[in-house]
Short mmCIF file of all heavy atoms in Angstrom, two decimals:
data_model
loop_
_atom_site.label_atom_id
_atom_site.label_comp_id
_atom_site.label_asym_id
_atom_site.label_seq_id
_atom_site.Cartn_x
_atom_site.Cartn_y
_atom_site.Cartn_z
N THR A 15 -26.01 60.19 54.33
CA THR A 15 -25.78 61.50 53.72
C THR A 15 -26.68 62.52 54.40
O THR A 15 -27.80 62.21 54.80
CB THR A 15 -26.10 61.49 52.21
OG1 THR A 15 -27.47 61.11 52.00
CG2 THR A 15 -25.18 60.55 51.45
N VAL A 16 -26.15 63.72 54.52
CA VAL A 16 -26.92 64.85 55.06
C VAL A 16 -27.01 65.88 53.93
O VAL A 16 -25.98 66.38 53.45
CB VAL A 16 -26.24 65.47 56.29
CG1 VAL A 16 -27.06 66.66 56.80
CG2 VAL A 16 -26.06 64.43 57.38
N THR A 17 -28.22 66.19 53.51
CA THR A 17 -28.39 67.08 52.36
C THR A 17 -29.20 68.32 52.75
O THR A 17 -29.82 68.38 53.81
CB THR A 17 -29.12 66.36 51.21
OG1 THR A 17 -30.42 65.96 51.65
CG2 THR A 17 -28.34 65.13 50.77
N PHE A 18 -29.17 69.30 51.86
CA PHE A 18 -29.96 70.52 52.04
C PHE A 18 -30.37 71.03 50.67
O PHE A 18 -29.80 70.62 49.64
CB PHE A 18 -29.16 71.58 52.80
CG PHE A 18 -27.99 72.14 52.03
CD1 PHE A 18 -28.08 73.36 51.37
CD2 PHE A 18 -26.78 71.44 51.95
CE1 PHE A 18 -27.01 73.87 50.66
CE2 PHE A 18 -25.71 71.94 51.24
CZ PHE A 18 -25.83 73.17 50.58
N ASP A 19 -31.32 71.91 50.65
CA ASP A 19 -31.79 72.52 49.41
C ASP A 19 -30.86 73.69 49.07
O ASP A 19 -30.85 74.69 49.79
CB ASP A 19 -33.22 73.02 49.58
CG ASP A 19 -33.75 73.69 48.31
OD1 ASP A 19 -33.06 73.69 47.28
OD2 ASP A 19 -34.88 74.24 48.37
N PRO A 20 -30.07 73.60 48.00
CA PRO A 20 -29.10 74.66 47.70
C PRO A 20 -29.70 75.89 47.03
O PRO A 20 -29.04 76.93 46.94
CB PRO A 20 -28.12 73.97 46.76
CG PRO A 20 -28.96 72.98 46.02
CD PRO A 20 -29.98 72.49 47.03
N GLU A 21 -30.95 75.79 46.56
CA GLU A 21 -31.50 76.88 45.75
C GLU A 21 -31.56 78.23 46.47
O GLU A 21 -31.12 79.25 45.90
CB GLU A 21 -32.89 76.51 45.23
CG GLU A 21 -33.48 77.59 44.34
CD GLU A 21 -34.80 77.19 43.71
OE1 GLU A 21 -35.29 76.08 44.00
OE2 GLU A 21 -35.34 77.98 42.92
N PRO A 22 -32.08 78.31 47.71
CA PRO A 22 -32.15 79.63 48.35
C PRO A 22 -30.80 80.31 48.50
O PRO A 22 -30.64 81.50 48.18
CB PRO A 22 -32.78 79.32 49.71
CG PRO A 22 -33.56 78.07 49.49
CD PRO A 22 -32.73 77.27 48.53
N ALA A 23 -29.81 79.56 48.99
CA ALA A 23 -28.48 80.14 49.20
C ALA A 23 -27.82 80.52 47.88
O ALA A 23 -27.24 81.60 47.74
CB ALA A 23 -27.59 79.17 49.98
N LEU A 24 -27.91 79.64 46.88
CA LEU A 24 -27.25 79.91 45.61
C LEU A 24 -27.93 81.03 44.84
O LEU A 24 -27.27 81.78 44.10
CB LEU A 24 -27.21 78.64 44.76
CG LEU A 24 -26.20 77.59 45.21
CD1 LEU A 24 -26.23 76.38 44.29
CD2 LEU A 24 -24.78 78.18 45.26
N THR A 25 -29.24 81.19 45.02
CA THR A 25 -29.92 82.31 44.37
C THR A 25 -29.41 83.63 44.91
O THR A 25 -29.13 84.57 44.15
CB THR A 25 -31.45 82.21 44.60
OG1 THR A 25 -31.92 80.99 44.00
CG2 THR A 25 -32.17 83.38 43.97
N LEU A 26 -29.23 83.72 46.24
CA LEU A 26 -28.69 84.93 46.85
C LEU A 26 -27.25 85.17 46.40
O LEU A 26 -26.86 86.30 46.06
CB LEU A 26 -28.75 84.82 48.37
CG LEU A 26 -30.13 84.90 49.02
CD1 LEU A 26 -30.03 84.60 50.51
CD2 LEU A 26 -30.74 86.28 48.79
N LEU A 27 -26.45 84.12 46.40
CA LEU A 27 -25.04 84.26 46.06
C LEU A 27 -24.84 84.61 44.58
O LEU A 27 -23.93 85.35 44.22
CB LEU A 27 -24.28 82.98 46.41
CG LEU A 27 -24.10 82.72 47.90
CD1 LEU A 27 -23.62 81.30 48.15
CD2 LEU A 27 -23.13 83.74 48.50
N ARG A 28 -25.69 84.06 43.73
CA ARG A 28 -25.58 84.37 42.31
C ARG A 28 -25.89 85.83 42.04
O ARG A 28 -25.29 86.46 41.16
CB ARG A 28 -26.52 83.48 41.51
CG ARG A 28 -26.22 83.49 40.01
CD ARG A 28 -27.24 82.66 39.25
NE ARG A 28 -26.80 82.41 37.89
CZ ARG A 28 -27.56 81.90 36.94
NH1 ARG A 28 -28.82 81.59 37.21
NH2 ARG A 28 -27.09 81.69 35.73
N GLN A 29 -26.82 86.38 42.81
CA GLN A 29 -27.12 87.80 42.67
C GLN A 29 -25.97 88.67 43.18
O GLN A 29 -25.66 89.71 42.61
CB GLN A 29 -28.40 88.13 43.45
CG GLN A 29 -29.65 87.48 42.88
CD GLN A 29 -30.86 87.64 43.79
OE1 GLN A 29 -30.75 88.11 44.93
NE2 GLN A 29 -32.03 87.23 43.30
N ALA A 30 -25.33 88.21 44.26
CA ALA A 30 -24.24 88.99 44.86
C ALA A 30 -22.93 88.84 44.11
O ALA A 30 -22.15 89.79 43.98
CB ALA A 30 -24.04 88.57 46.32
N ILE A 31 -22.66 87.61 43.59
CA ILE A 31 -21.38 87.33 42.91
C ILE A 31 -21.69 86.57 41.63
O ILE A 31 -21.46 85.36 41.52
CB ILE A 31 -20.44 86.50 43.81
CG1 ILE A 31 -20.47 86.99 45.26
CG2 ILE A 31 -19.00 86.54 43.27
CD1 ILE A 31 -19.70 86.13 46.22
N PRO A 32 -22.23 87.22 40.63
CA PRO A 32 -22.67 86.53 39.41
C PRO A 32 -21.55 85.83 38.64
O PRO A 32 -21.80 84.88 37.90
CB PRO A 32 -23.32 87.63 38.58
CG PRO A 32 -22.72 88.90 39.10
CD PRO A 32 -22.48 88.67 40.56
N GLU A 33 -20.32 86.30 38.80
CA GLU A 33 -19.20 85.72 38.05
C GLU A 33 -18.59 84.50 38.73
O GLU A 33 -17.68 83.86 38.18
CB GLU A 33 -18.11 86.77 37.85
CG GLU A 33 -17.36 87.20 39.11
CD GLU A 33 -18.11 88.26 39.93
OE1 GLU A 33 -19.29 88.53 39.63
OE2 GLU A 33 -17.49 88.81 40.85
N ALA A 34 -19.05 84.14 39.92
CA ALA A 34 -18.45 83.04 40.68
C ALA A 34 -18.73 81.69 40.02
O ALA A 34 -19.77 81.47 39.39
CB ALA A 34 -18.99 83.04 42.10
N LEU A 35 -17.79 80.77 40.20
CA LEU A 35 -17.95 79.38 39.76
C LEU A 35 -18.68 78.62 40.87
O LEU A 35 -18.42 78.84 42.06
CB LEU A 35 -16.59 78.73 39.51
CG LEU A 35 -15.61 79.49 38.62
CD1 LEU A 35 -14.28 78.73 38.54
CD2 LEU A 35 -16.19 79.71 37.24
N VAL A 36 -19.57 77.73 40.50
CA VAL A 36 -20.35 76.97 41.48
C VAL A 36 -20.21 75.48 41.19
O VAL A 36 -20.27 75.05 40.03
CB VAL A 36 -21.84 77.37 41.44
CG1 VAL A 36 -22.64 76.54 42.44
CG2 VAL A 36 -22.01 78.85 41.74
N ALA A 37 -20.01 74.70 42.26
CA ALA A 37 -19.90 73.25 42.13
C ALA A 37 -20.81 72.57 43.15
O ALA A 37 -20.85 72.98 44.31
CB ALA A 37 -18.46 72.80 42.33
N VAL A 38 -21.54 71.55 42.71
CA VAL A 38 -22.36 70.73 43.59
C VAL A 38 -21.80 69.31 43.54
O VAL A 38 -21.58 68.75 42.46
CB VAL A 38 -23.84 70.74 43.15
CG1 VAL A 38 -24.66 69.81 44.03
CG2 VAL A 38 -24.40 72.15 43.21
N GLU A 39 -21.58 68.74 44.70
CA GLU A 39 -20.97 67.41 44.76
C GLU A 39 -21.85 66.34 44.12
O GLU A 39 -23.05 66.28 44.37
CB GLU A 39 -20.67 67.04 46.21
CG GLU A 39 -19.92 65.73 46.36
CD GLU A 39 -19.49 65.47 47.79
OE1 GLU A 39 -19.94 66.19 48.69
OE2 GLU A 39 -18.72 64.52 47.98
N ASP A 40 -21.24 65.51 43.29
CA ASP A 40 -21.88 64.35 42.69
C ASP A 40 -21.22 63.13 43.32
O ASP A 40 -20.09 62.76 42.97
CB ASP A 40 -21.68 64.37 41.17
CG ASP A 40 -22.49 63.30 40.46
OD1 ASP A 40 -23.29 62.62 41.12
OD2 ASP A 40 -22.32 63.16 39.23
N LEU A 41 -21.90 62.50 44.27
CA LEU A 41 -21.29 61.48 45.12
C LEU A 41 -20.60 60.37 44.33
O LEU A 41 -21.20 59.77 43.44
CB LEU A 41 -22.33 60.86 46.05
CG LEU A 41 -22.86 61.74 47.18
CD1 LEU A 41 -23.80 60.93 48.07
CD2 LEU A 41 -21.73 62.32 48.01
N GLY A 42 -19.35 60.14 44.69
CA GLY A 42 -18.59 59.07 44.09
C GLY A 42 -18.11 59.34 42.68
O GLY A 42 -17.43 58.50 42.08
N VAL A 43 -18.42 60.50 42.14
CA VAL A 43 -18.03 60.83 40.77
C VAL A 43 -17.15 62.08 40.73
O VAL A 43 -16.09 62.09 40.14
CB VAL A 43 -19.28 61.06 39.88
CG1 VAL A 43 -18.86 61.45 38.47
CG2 VAL A 43 -20.15 59.81 39.86
N GLY A 44 -17.62 63.13 41.35
CA GLY A 44 -16.91 64.40 41.31
C GLY A 44 -17.86 65.54 41.60
O GLY A 44 -18.52 65.56 42.64
N PHE A 45 -17.98 66.47 40.61
CA PHE A 45 -18.82 67.65 40.83
C PHE A 45 -19.53 68.05 39.55
O PHE A 45 -18.97 67.96 38.45
CB PHE A 45 -17.98 68.83 41.31
CG PHE A 45 -17.42 68.66 42.69
CD1 PHE A 45 -16.22 67.99 42.89
CD2 PHE A 45 -18.09 69.17 43.79
CE1 PHE A 45 -15.70 67.82 44.17
CE2 PHE A 45 -17.58 69.01 45.07
CZ PHE A 45 -16.38 68.34 45.26
#
C-alpha cells in the first residue's frame, strides 16, 4: 500500500468547498 497524510489537502478543500462529500478508502471494506 502507498499512503499519504490526507489532512493538509482536505483542510484546504474543506475551506474551499465546504459542501463537498468526502470519502476515504477503507481497504477491503469500502469507504
Side-chain angles (χ1 to χ4, degrees):
T15 59
V16 179
T17 62
F18 68 100
D19 179 5
E21 182 175 2
L24 286 181
T25 298
L26 289 173
L27 289 168
R28 194 184 193 191
Q29 294 171 352
I31 318 173
E33 69 278 10
L35 310 177
V36 178
V38 177
E39 185 173 10
D40 188 6
L41 289 184
V43 178
F45 291 85

